[in-house]
Amino acid sequence: MVSVENFRVLEQSQVSPPNGSAPPAFIPLSFFDIVMSTAGPIRRIFFYDFPHPTAVVVDSVLPRLKSSLSLALQRFYPLAGNLMCSSSPDDRSGIGCAYGDSVSFVVAECVGVDFRELSGTRAHSVAELQLLVPRLVWSGAAKPLLAVQVTVFPNHGFAVGASMPHTACDGSSYVHFMNAWASASRTGQLAEPAPSFDRTAVPNPLQLRSVNIFPGFDRCGTDESPTLASDFVSATFCLTQDQLQRLKRSVTAKFDQRHGSFHCSTAVVTYAYAWICLVKTFGYAGDKIAHLIFLADYRARLQPPLPTSYFGNCIVPCFVEVKVSDLVGEDGIVVAAEAIGKAIQGLRDGAALEGVHGWGGRWQFAATQQAMTVAGSSRFRVYDADFGWGTPVKVEMVIQRAGALSLAESRSGDGVEIGLSFDRTEMDLFERHFSDGLKLLSE
Ligand SMILES: CC(C)(COP(=O)(O)OP(=O)(O)OC[C@H]1O[C@@H](n2cnc3c(N)ncnc32)[C@H](O)[C@@H]1OP(=O)(O)O)[C@@H](O)C(=O)NCCC(=O)NCCSC(=O)CC(=O)O
């Protein structure tokens, strides 16, 4: 078990882009950056098997991780910069980059810990995971956008934790950076496509300029991890390709074509199935409306589209509401999939931005209703992040709220992985609903 007693910081340093390679710049925040700025930091932990003593990690792994991080920052230089936002809402907020910018790089050691358990799929403490991700500390003008922590588990492995405030970028850009850093470490070269920071084609339907429209914004970047009960745990649930196909068939077999059609994708059935299990776990009354919020990548959906290498936020929220009795009923998966599919269809031809005035209110209301939210994507390729010592044995998003779900491709390549956090009793319930539903599918 990771506790403060068996966890110690070995080194705290700063990593900069190579000398003079990142010239001073100011990159204005886009509409999407400002909208997402209160969403809290993105925090992932990449676990690697590495059965060697700490000294070997320090001598051979760390120098390469640092030099490749420096190389990656040459291209992703805004991540070494600071958020600039004056108290006047008229001043444009942006990312300021200056010579000498750097990223905090912490090295820690964890002893007497079951590395397998912490990097496994079965329930493990979220408070322990929190120790493996670095804190982003905002103080005055210093508002860093990336912090890195490498934690060594002697003779077992190491974990690379990276935190970025959502103001800097969305999940697609986060993983773009991590994969660029990993491939630079593995090959010594920058092989991933260069990021694009060009904001000129990004729409601004609400004419937003500053993050200071949100009271208390400063606290959103500073990563104050809540103190969690020791029985608040995180676990990973997998849906194999075969199970996904069965779920898709169970939807399409019953879907009433008279109501129109939609593409019953992997994302649709995964969200639908997890949502039903979650609603059953919380045991809501049948007449309550259940809420789901998921995010859609808007790069390819904009007219004209932005390149996939666009770095920043380009995501829009999708809101889905279904009555609990319909979700937990016999055809719940059909009802949920149809409602989610319709929300995805509604993203076509730039239509999502038409509802932009309602986003804030809908988001706030759904949050009061314990909405299920989805982070990550099964298309991000988080398991490609090989720094030169093999692919991750586990990639975990740190989730501090019951009802928040994270998604990734499965490590084996067969299907998807769903990460969730709950109190242990709720986790047991969720696990039972999840496996019972799949048993029914195979009958
Ligand atoms: C809105 C969506 C979830 C809807 O997904 P869907 O799969 O249902 O719909 P779609 O139109 O995109 O794709 C439909 C079908 O097209 C195919 N398809 C489309 N694009 C593909 C791609 N890039 N790779 C592989 N397949 C693809 C698939 O066959 C899929 O069906 P099939 O699946 O049956 O094969 C998705 O489009 C999307 O935007 N995903 C990214 C969401 C995202 O960025 N989340 C992170 C937010 S930030 C965040 O949360 C923080 C963080 O992550 O760090």
Side-chain angles (χ1 to χ4, degrees):
M1 151 151 177
V2 183
S3 66
V4 178
E5 296 90 69
N6 50 26
F7 173 90
R8 67 185 177 118
V9 172
L10 300 179
E11 179 194 310
Q12 237 166 338
S13 59
Q14 298 289 129
V15 175
S16 300
N19 248 347
S21 66
F26 178 81
I27 299 165
L29 293 190
S30 74
F31 161 74
F32 296 108
D33 298 330
I34 295 173
V35 167
M36 290 306 299
S37 61
T38 56
I42 305 177
R43 311 182 319 159
R44 280 188 177 80
I45 306 167
F46 298 71
F47 289 93
Y48 297 89
D49 272 345
F50 194 75
H52 302 283
T54 301
V56 178
V57 183
V58 170
D59 291 345
S60 64
V61 176
L62 290 178
R64 213 157 110 191
L65 286 181
K66 284 185 185 175
S67 60
S68 55
L69 175 59
S70 171
L71 194 60
L73 289 173
Q74 181 177 333
R75 281 209 175 146
F76 291 80
Y77 56 90
L79 288 176
N82 286 276
L83 178 68
M84 297 180 76
C85 53
S86 79
S87 52
S88 161
D90 296 331
D91 288 348
R92 187 137 206 193
S93 303
I95 299 174
C97 308
Y99 286 123
D101 279 346
S102 60
V103 168
S104 160
F105 192 105
V106 170
V107 181
E109 185 189 53
C110 228
V111 290
V113 167
D114 189 340
F115 178 75
R116 280 277 151 263
E117 184 183 301
L118 209 54
S119 60
T121 54
R122 304 192 58 161
H124 46 268
S125 154
V126 180
E128 292 172 11
L129 292 174
Q130 282 176 332
L131 288 173
L132 309 182
V133 281
R135 285 191 59 206
L136 280 164
V137 182
W138 282 7
S139 165
K143 295 188 174 65
L145 302 173
L146 167 64
V148 172
Q149 177 177 321
V150 177
T151 308
V152 187
F153 299 82
N155 302 314
H156 293 286
F158 63 89
V160 179
S163 306
M164 296 182 203
H166 230 306
T167 325
C169 67
D170 57 20
S172 158
S173 291
Y174 176 106
V175 179
H176 182 188
F177 166 74
M178 290 303 290
N179 283 342
W181 173 20
S183 82
S185 170
R186 193 175 67 248
T187 66
Q189 283 168 359
L190 290 171
E192 296 280 315
S196 156
F197 304 109
D198 183 358
R199 266 80 169 131
T200 44
V202 183
N204 191 353
L206 297 181
Q207 302 306 317
L208 301 181
R209 295 173 59 81
S210 167
V211 287
N212 274 310
I213 54 168
F214 300 114
F217 166 77
D218 273 22
R219 285 196 302 277
C220 301
T222 300
D223 182 9
E224 293 293 352
S225 295
T227 306
L228 297 169
S230 61
D231 71 341
F232 192 71
V233 291
S234 163
T236 304
F237 297 83
C238 301
L239 287 172
T240 63
Q241 273 306 341
D242 178 57
Q243 289 164 336
L244 288 166
Q245 289 314 322
R246 283 168 191 263
L247 281 170
K248 288 178 185 181
R249 278 201 297 272
S250 74
V251 172
T252 44
K254 287 190 181 168
F255 180 67
D256 185 348
Q257 298 293 342
R258 283 169 306 179
H259 293 115
S261 67
F262 67 95
H263 177 70
C264 188
S265 67
T266 296
V268 167
V269 287
T270 305
Y271 298 176
Y273 188 64
W275 195 19
I276 291 168
C277 296
L278 188 90
V279 163
K280 287 181 177 169
T281 301
F282 285 148
Y284 293 141
D287 57 353
K288 180 183 156 67
I289 301 294
H291 293 254
L292 160 67
I293 306 175
F294 64 92
L295 295 157
D297 190 328
Y298 218 55
R299 289 169 178 75
R301 292 175 164 113
L302 271 172
Q303 294 299 335
L306 290 176
T308 48
S309 59
Y310 172 79
F311 190 93
N313 286 278
C314 191
I315 44 179
V316 297
C318 297
F319 302 92
V320 189
E321 292 162 17
V322 173
K323 203 170 157 190
V324 168
S325 55
D326 292 338
L327 274 184
V328 300
E330 201 189 329
D331 289 338
I333 188 82
V334 186
V335 179
E338 188 182 355
I340 295 163
K342 290 277 148 69
I344 295 170
Q345 270 184 340
L347 295 165
R348 285 192 184 149
D349 307 322
L353 294 186
E354 286 165 17
V356 67
H357 288 95
W359 286 358
R362 292 187 79 173
W363 199 305
Q364 270 169 19
F365 180 70
T368 65
Q369 301 299 303
Q370 232 180 345
M372 179 174 110
T373 56
V374 185
S377 161
S378 58
R379 293 194 197 139
F380 280 173
R381 300 189 296 112
V382 287
Y383 282 99
D384 284 5
D386 175 357
F387 285 89
W389 298 278
T391 53
V393 285
K394 184 76 199 300
V395 180
E396 178 124 359
M397 286 189 88
V398 182
I399 302 174
Q400 301 170 150
R401 183 180 71 80
L405 176 153
S406 74
L407 201 64
E409 75 276 16
S410 85
R411 179 174 183 253
S412 66
D414 178 16
V416 299
E417 280 184 10
I418 302 164
L420 283 149
S421 301
F422 287 113
D423 291 343
R424 208 170 265 277
T425 340
E426 285 173 333
M427 186 61 88
D428 291 344
L429 261 181
F430 183 89
E431 201 171 334
R432 210 177 68 215
H433 290 307
F434 195 86
S435 62
D436 285 355
L438 293 180
K439 270 186 222 139
L440 284 178
L441 272 181
S442 47
E443 279 164 6

